[in-house]
Amino acid sequence: MKYSQKRSQRTSKIAAVLLLCLALTFLISLNTGLIQIAPIDVFRLLIGSGSEQNAVILFDFRLPRMVIALLIGAGIGISGAILQGISRNELADPGILGINAGAGFAVILFIFYFQGNAASAGAAIWVLPLFAMLGALLAGACTYLFAWKGGVSPTRLVLSGIGVNAAFAALIIVFQLKMDPKNFSQAIVWLSGSIWGTNWAYVLAVFPWILILIPYTIYKSRYLNVLYLGDELAKALGVRIEKERRKLLITSVLLAGTCVAVGGGIAFLGLVAPHLARRLAGPRHEHFLPVTALIGALLLLAADVIGRVILMPTEVPVGLVVSALGAPYFIYLLIKMD
Amino acid sequence: MVFHRFRRSGIDNREGAVQKSRPFAASIILAAGLFLLVVLTGVSIAYGAADIQVSTVWNSFVHFDPAIASHQIIHELRMPRAVAAAAAGAFLAVSGAIMQGMTRNPLASPSIMGITAGSSFVLALAFIFDAHASPNKLVFWSFVGSGLGAFLVFGIGALSKRGLTPVKLALAGSAVTALLTSVSSALAMHFDVARDLSFWYAGGVAGIRWESVRVVLPIAVVGLAAAMLISRSITVLSLGEEVAKGLGQKVKLAKVSGLLVVLLLTGAAVSLAGVVGFVGLVIPHITRFLVGVDYRWIIPCSAVLGGLLLIMADIMARMINPPFETPLGAVTALVGVPFFLYLSRREGGGTR
């Protein structure tokens, strides 16, 4: 008991520090961008005075985008943590299950067939995330089915994910190259992982899912702890592994699907966030899952700021920033790994 | 660990009964394959937007007449295209075979190990900063790039605690691929060449000219010859490093020369056809299944089968959705993915 108390204390401390960092990044993010708003003006705007133009930029564009970054950062982090838990593979990531590619394919189809169709232009805002979600679910289901052989082994799950990923990537290319230039550039920005839904409606669309699924995952930490020990041990401890694994997998796919729907294909975040969290808060899921969510949010928010300023005036999609930072960390993990 | 099963079971003892080499089957494959290759080259030349009879193709070889438009088309557009497809397929298949033999990793192939990514990264830079580079230059950059990719991946392997396990190589390959791709696409967006770049990324031999083929072919033929020369050592290496050492093989030397050949062939293939995945993965497996374990036969047969696959894929790419060309890389992926899934189901172990 003493150990776990110590751990929880430590976890709360870590969480406090992370929240502080998050607040700082949030403030920085508020006043960076193509149009800079000085900190003092931001403050004025927040208390209700300040210029009209700045208010529009801040409240209608920058703020919803940041809130979305926070939400999907947390979501992708947790989704990755689940995958790493159930596949017992420290290098698993939602992208690996083909989820990003599946959602990407659905979005490409949508842009290809419905874009430019004037009647659907208004509906696009609502339908596009839905499409992405369906694609993510489809890809997740494919991966699971191909890996099924009277049960799903972690190894087969990852391998069949790589395969499904490649198949969807190929389909994406087929359609992408048939697009006209305008649609094409929209598609490629989406695929690279960009928070394009700068609109409060998206925040509303994402929020309920995150609000339900993350606490549900934390509630399930017990099973994650056991599954992480390995199938034999989990069975011996009386867990119905296949059933729990399926439930958790669905949770993970739903989370990733929601996030991909508004954030595009963001790779490596689901890998890096749980890792850092495990390092900080220890291996028990009830401790490190909340930390994972915080780290995921922090990383994505920071990456968004970096993407906005690094190649000004081009906005580098946040997904590219995350991979450019995440891949070296992954390599570092690989070097350290036994 | 993801691939932990592969380490335990080498490629060859997994085959169980297929422990021996089958020279007879191999010679048949070589003969029939070469014949088919010629036939398909003819088909590939005849098929296209401008309708050309097979007899015209024949005539254009026997009595070439520069005044006839279709002869011009055949010589300047269709032929280099067919040759490039066959050559790129052969190169990729051979480098995949060598990599699988050297690393004993059934999933090894140029694209999975990050070598094609290196190549395409450097070529992307060339697109951005030197838009009108000559074919010579592009080929050179492609080689530099495949060297860069291999250097990064193997460097990571060398830095890590237990050296170059197959697992680490594959994972390092995917990380390097992600890193290089993200940097090059950010730059491509900034410099507004994203669309050109993805056409090229998609893989294809559509716009190829004799100049490029002429530059690449001699280099790569040297590579193929070298592959044949080291094929014996690859066979020994594929039995496992300890066995190879025990048999008196100079393991380091064999590995370094194998890697050099892989770089040469992959660089050549990428500069011809862009990023075409799965050829280097699938063909060596099929070949090994057909001709057994001797790399002296596997390497030439892989070359022939790889050439066949890619020339067929190129014909399909034109047929699927005319008048659009479907990217070659997408066609090979759609052929290769089911095979990959089959492999991973088999490798993934029992019913657990």
Side-chain angles (χ1 to χ4, degrees), chain B residues 19-94:
Chain B
Q19 279 287 6
K20 51 182 189 285
S21 150
R22 300 202 199 95
F24 182 63
S27 354
I28 289 180
I29 290 175
L30 276 183
L34 282 173
F35 175 70
L36 259 179
L37 207 54
V38 173
V39 172
L40 280 176
T41 309
V43 173
S44 167
I45 291 173
Y47 188 87
D51 233 351
I52 296 176
Q53 298 293 320
V54 179
S55 58
T56 320
V57 176
W58 178 252
N59 273 333
S60 84
F61 284 115
V62 194
H63 326 279
F64 176 64
D65 181 357
I68 303 173
S70 59
H71 284 199
Q72 283 287 359
I73 293 177
I74 288 170
H75 269 249
E76 293 308 314
L77 298 175
R78 301 270 174 90
M79 258 170 61
R81 175 173 190 164
V83 171
F91 302 158
L92 287 172
V94 169

Side-chain angles (χ1 to χ4, degrees), chain B residues 21 28 31 79 83 87 104 110 143 161 170 175 194 225 233 247 252 279 285 288 292 299 305 307 311 328 334 338-339:
Chain B
S21 150
I28 289 180
M79 258 170 61
V83 171
R104 291 161 54 82
F143 286 130
K161 275 189 199 153
S233 348
L247 288 172
K252 273 252 167 60
V279 181
H285 277 282
R288 211 176 296 115
I299 287 176
L305 292 177
I311 208 167
L328 194 54
L334 294 180
F339 184 80

Side-chain angles (χ1 to χ4, degrees), chain B residues 167-185:
Chain B
V167 192
K168 278 186 185 164
L169 276 187
L171 289 174
S174 52
V176 167
T177 303
L179 180 63
L180 295 179
T181 315
S182 70
V183 173
S184 56
S185 40

Side-chain angles (χ1 to χ4, degrees), chain B residues 24-294:
Chain B
F24 182 63
S27 354
I28 289 180
I29 290 175
L30 276 183
L34 282 173
F35 175 70
L36 259 179
L37 207 54
V38 173
V39 172
L40 280 176
T41 309
V43 173
S44 167
I45 291 173
Y47 188 87
D51 233 351
I52 296 176
Q53 298 293 320
V54 179
S55 58
T56 320
V57 176
W58 178 252
N59 273 333
S60 84
F61 284 115
V62 194
H63 326 279
F64 176 64
D65 181 357
I68 303 173
S70 59
H71 284 199
Q72 283 287 359
I73 293 177
I74 288 170
H75 269 249
E76 293 308 314
L77 298 175
R78 301 270 174 90
M79 258 170 61
R81 175 173 190 164
V83 171
F91 302 158
L92 287 172
V94 169
S95 47
I98 293 176
M99 292 182 88
Q100 289 175 13
M102 278 197 326
T103 61
R104 291 161 54 82
N105 180 348
L107 294 179
S109 71
S111 50
I112 291 177
M113 300 297 221
I115 295 180
T116 34
S119 223
S120 51
F121 171 68
V122 174
L123 276 173
L125 292 186
F127 262 101
I128 293 167
F129 296 112
D130 187 8
H132 306 291
S134 65
N136 278 333
K137 253 187 181 168
L138 284 181
V139 172
F140 170 73
W141 285 124
S142 179
F143 286 130
V144 170
S146 64
L148 173 77
F151 172 76
L152 286 175
V153 172
F154 285 88
I156 291 163
L159 278 177
S160 57
K161 275 189 199 153
R162 297 223 187 123
L164 300 158
T165 61
V167 192
K168 278 186 185 164
L169 276 187
L171 289 174
S174 52
V176 167
T177 303
L179 180 63
L180 295 179
T181 315
S182 70
V183 173
S184 56
S185 40
L187 286 175
M189 274 181 210
H190 187 61
F191 291 97
D192 208 17
V193 291
R195 196 170 153 83
D196 299 340
L197 196 61
S198 27
F199 265 102
W200 188 82
Y201 260 135
V205 283
I208 208 143
R209 293 295 151 94
W210 275 122
E211 300 129 59
S212 331
V213 178
R214 234 175 257 138
V215 177
V216 175
L217 227 47
I219 307 172
V221 167
V222 171
L224 281 184
M228 282 311 295
L229 278 179
I230 60 167
S231 58
R232 251 179 74 87
S233 348
I234 302 287
T235 312
V236 179
L237 267 182
S238 74
L239 299 174
E241 214 163 298
E242 288 82 9
V243 179
K245 261 181 208 151
L247 288 172
Q249 166 123 94
K250 287 181 186 126
V251 174
K252 273 252 167 60
L253 182 70
K255 279 195 163 173
V256 169
S257 42
L259 185 63
L260 280 179
V261 172
V262 166
L263 291 183
L264 209 60
L265 291 175
T266 311
V270 174
S271 69
L272 278 178
V275 180
V276 180
F278 286 101
V279 181
L281 175 77
V282 174
I283 292 294
H285 277 282
I286 295 176
T287 314
R288 211 176 296 115
F289 176 74
L290 292 172
V291 309
V293 295
D294 190 343

Side-chain angles (χ1 to χ4, degrees), chain A residues 97-100 102-104 106 131-141 253 256-258 260:
Chain A
L97 290 190
I99 293 172
N100 288 353
F131 250 69
M133 186 99 170
L134 281 178
L137 286 175
L138 178 72
V253 171
T258 318
V260 169

Side-chain angles (χ1 to χ4, degrees), chain A residues 9 18 28-29 31 33 48 52 78 99 140 145 155 169 171-172 176 185 191 200 206 240 254 257 264-265 287 293 331:
Chain A
Q9 260 177 18
L18 283 173
I28 295 171
S29 174
N31 56 50
E52 190 75 1
I78 294 285
I99 293 172
L145 287 178
T155 317
L171 288 173
I172 287 176
Q176 206 181 5
S185 46
L191 290 171
W200 286 107
V206 177
R240 298 164 70 179
L254 280 176
H287 294 147
I331 290 168

